[in-house]
Amino acid sequence: QVQLVESGGGLVQAGGSLRLSCAASGRTFSTYAMAWFRQAPGKEREFVATISWSGTSTYYTDSVKGRFTISRDNAKNTMYLQMNSLKLEDTAVYSCAATAGARGNYYFRVGDYDYWGQGTQVTVSS
């Protein structure tokens, strides 16, 4: 069992930066691949980025490539999402998720993930 708690959301102007954190409970954090998803008002939850259990492999959705960086610190049971050059369309509730799926694969679907945080709001203003 893993419990996830996000923090770091807030209001930022377009072009600005935020860093989200996802703190995990339990001693097995390092065995899970992790991801960030987001859900804008009136839209479905969408994949943002994923990171392997070791932190050596990452994958991003095209709209955030070059602007967002996903990382993790297994010693601190924490995952991060550094978001730079934020755009109005990045406004959403951002949630972290953990999957016990087989190593070596990337997982992009909501249904692939076993544990979810409650989400943190990111609002980008003009």
Side-chain angles (χ1 to χ4, degrees):
Q1 188 92 12
V2 176
Q3 292 185 325
L4 305 173
V5 179
E6 301 94 338
S7 62
L11 175 64
V12 63
Q13 286 191 325
S17 299
L18 280 176
R19 188 175 83 153
L20 305 183
S21 298
C22 173
S25 65
R27 287 183 246 176
T28 59
F29 173 74
S30 62
T31 65
Y32 292 92
M34 302 290 295
W36 288 97
F37 286 77
R38 65 186 180 186
Q39 187 168 21
K43 295 187 177 181
E44 293 187 350
R45 185 175 289 182
E46 66 171 354
F47 167 81
V48 176
T50 185
I51 188 166
S52 62
W53 64 274
S54 64
T56 56
S57 297
T58 59
Y59 191 90
Y60 301 87
T61 193
D62 286 346
S63 62
V64 308
K65 283 180 182 177
R67 300 189 298 121
F68 290 10
T69 303
I70 189 172
S71 62
R72 66 190 296 165
D73 185 338
N74 287 343
K76 295 182 178 180
N77 279 13
T78 304
M79 177 180 66
Y80 305 96
L81 185 67
Q82 177 67 42
M83 305 185 294
N84 298 329
S85 302
L86 282 161
K87 303 177 180 180
L88 296 178
E89 52 264 41
D90 295 319
T91 294
V93 174
Y94 284 71
S95 299
C96 62
T99 177
R103 293 180 178 181
N105 296 331
Y106 286 125
Y107 298 96
F108 308 114
R109 299 177 304 176
V110 170
D112 291 332
Y113 287 82
D114 306 294
Y115 304 102
W116 291 84
Q118 83 290 349
T120 185
Q121 176 71 47
V122 172
T123 303
V124 184
S125 65
S126 59

